[in-house]
Amino acid sequence: MKILHVSTPVTWRGGEQQLLSLATVLKDYPVTQWVMCPEKSQLINKLNAVEVAVIPYRNKGLLSLKLSWKIAMSCKKFRIQIIHTHDAHAHTAAVLSCFLFRNQAKIIVSRRVDFPIKNSFLSRWKYNFKSVKSVICVSELIKKIVEPSINFHERIRVVYDGIDLNKYRKFNSKISGLRKDYSSDCSSIFIGNVSALADHKDYTSFIATCKKLLNDGMQAHFFIVGDGPLQNNIKTQVLNSDCGKSITMTGFRNDIPDVLSSLDLLLITSKTEGLGSVILEAMAAGTPVVSTNAGGIPEIVQMNETGLLADISDSENLAIQVHRIFEEPGLKEKLIKNALSFVQGFSIERTAYLTFSIYLEQIDIEAFINQIM
């Protein structure tokens, strides 16, 4: 089986992490795969490190016909059977490669965002194009959201994001990551938000929640871990919040398992979220979670069982839920135990297996078996 993954972002976010993890696990499957991505993307070096074949391209406009042409020519050259697109622009380019350049490969689309498909001709056309054989949603909520725009509902599948659980099995203390780098604040409770500095992560609500907790007298230090387009804007908000000395912006970090393990609490304030894989990582690290009920998050943060929830933009209730973690007897330990058990079902190996099963539906199984025997 020959697979071409297509990704268009140059940045490193959750979708690119999922693609890297999927491609890494699929190396042990009877597939030959390539990843087509921008030549200046952060993904390339990481793919090279795990020895996954890369087809780089110059990122000169996400809807460039050159990308569609490159997809079509690569599919012809390598006899690609399935194109797996990992973002909306990759999806568009793959469909155009079939429509304009007679590419015969079948298309699998990953859908990670929790807002409706645009009510435009192009959007509906590309999701219902004949070459699109499956739309993989990362949560049941996303499946429900996209159903009205897709003619054949049987094409819509749910495969939850997975994480590398092995990265977290070695962590059993709070002496690494942020605790090591910010040792002067080790007497404080460490609360952090680990996500891109983008609008939908709603750091305004995070900062407001921090201020409320400090005003309540909580001895805490807060961390914003990540980078992104709103970095300067968020920095200004922190400086103007009257609690800037208690909030540290760390920038991008490569040691997320260490970071999550060193936190006393992960506080996620997103307005939209397909699923929230960093929440799964926090569960695996033994760190309790308080989050907004955005998007697919309630499918993994089950109220009072695997974490605590509050409404979107409700900093008052978010602060209340944070207080509960540290003040209700036995609650923190219960949430950590339940979450650690729950997250065992979200391994990247399971995600890869379910994705591979969807690939198998698109090919001649008998011919495939004969080929690998």
Side-chain angles (χ1 to χ4, degrees), residues 306-318:
T306 62
L308 300 179
L309 293 168
D311 287 341
I312 295 167
S313 301
D314 190 349
S315 58
E316 292 285 333
N317 197 18
L318 282 165

Side-chain angles (χ1 to χ4, degrees), residues 241-288:
S241 67
D242 298 328
C243 54
K245 292 183 179 180
S246 296
I247 301 176
T248 297
M249 297 179 66
T250 72
F252 179 81
R253 291 183 64 121
N254 285 311
D255 60 338
I256 296 304
D258 281 310
V259 167
L260 291 171
S261 180
S262 62
L263 289 174
D264 295 298
L265 176 74
L266 179 70
L267 175 61
I268 296 296
T269 54
S270 300
K271 294 186 287 188
T272 66
E273 200 72 62
L275 184 66
S277 57
V278 72
I279 292 173
L280 297 173
E281 295 183 84
M283 291 176 173
T287 300

Side-chain angles (χ1 to χ4, degrees), residues 165-183:
L165 294 170
N166 293 319
K167 289 182 178 180
Y168 295 89
R169 293 192 173 118
K170 65 180 180 179
F171 296 110
N172 56 13
S173 67
K174 299 285 185 183
I175 60 173
S176 59
L178 300 175
R179 291 283 172 185
K180 179 177 65 177
D181 297 342
Y182 301 93
S183 57

